Amino acid sequence: MESLLLTEADLGASYTQNPSSEADDGQYDDIAVDGCPALEELGKNSRQMQFVSKAEAGYRYQSGAEFGEEIYSDSPATLSRKLRDVASAYTSCSSYTMTSGSTPIDVKVTEPDTPDLGEEQFGYTLTMSPADQPQQSQVLKSLAVRKGNVAVMLVGAPALVDRHIATAVGRLDNE
């Protein structure tokens, strides 16, 4: 699966790739969601959202903007169902509060246009603002595309996700 990940050659000289560890080290144990029942339920059932195989990497543009890539392999029906469940949970609420440690973060959700790639596409955009500093918002875009028994998901800076999704989907043809 790692061979399907984007490479620096795909991205250009202005990027660096940082392969990610797939170990669950508990880094998200202090995050809670309030005000969106579908996301709360998704969090409780996160173990059920695993796929047969997965590869992931992170990328940083020279400006400091980042995005992550995940490649999943499973049956087409399983990929479709699980990706749809995730996208539906995120887009079921237009806003909610996420708490990281003791810091409340206001989250607004929008559904972006998805590219006409692959057999299925899913997406959502999150605008996250610390409740006490709303001027310090961060925007993350998530796009997932399924082709047969493989799917790619890019998450990060919206411009980078938009710029590289077609290349990432094109690499799935190597499977």
Side-chain angles (χ1 to χ4, degrees):
M1 295 286 294
E2 286 80 18
S3 66
L4 300 177
L5 292 167
L6 291 167
T7 66
E8 289 180 39
D10 295 320
L11 301 171
S14 299
Y15 291 85
T16 56
Q17 179 180 6
N18 308 307
S20 300
S21 166
E22 293 187 29
D24 179 9
D25 58 5
Q27 66 181 344
Y28 300 112
D29 287 350
D30 70 338
I31 294 178
V33 171
D34 185 39
C36 188
L39 273 178
E40 293 171 36
E41 190 64 27
L42 183 68
K44 292 177 190 173
N45 298 316
S46 63
R47 295 268 185 231
Q48 297 173 13
M49 298 306 290
Q50 295 178 0
F51 299 94
V52 168
S53 60
K54 172 182 169 182
E56 59 186 320
Y59 308 92
R60 178 184 294 267
Y61 186 62
Q62 67 185 6
S63 69
E66 298 181 358
F67 73 98
E69 177 184 26
E70 295 182 1
I71 308 272
Y72 310 113
S73 179
D74 213 318
S75 73
T78 299
L79 283 170
S80 180
R81 179 180 50 78
K82 289 180 179 182
L83 291 172
R84 181 176 292 106
D85 287 350
V86 169
S88 293
Y90 274 96
T91 59
S92 69
C93 302
S94 61
S95 65
Y96 60 91
T97 301
M98 175 175 67
T99 305
S100 177
S102 62
T103 305
I105 300 169
D106 296 326
V107 182
K108 296 197 182 324
V109 184
T110 57
E111 287 187 65
D113 291 332
T114 55
D116 189 16
L117 299 167
E119 295 164 36
E120 288 184 287
Q121 312 83 29
F122 308 93
Y124 50 89
T125 302
L126 307 177
T127 302
M128 300 174 289
S129 306
D132 60 345
Q133 298 176 335
Q135 71 280 8
Q136 294 188 2
S137 294
Q138 179 180 10
V139 179
L140 292 177
K141 186 172 191 175
S142 178
L143 288 178
V145 176
R146 183 187 65 81
K147 282 181 88 171
N149 69 333
V150 183
V152 61
M153 178 181 279
L154 299 185
V155 178
L160 298 182
V161 169
D162 290 342
R163 181 180 303 151
H164 298 295
I165 191 68
T167 303
V169 172
R171 291 188 59 84
L172 299 183
D173 293 331
N174 297 332
E175 174 67 4

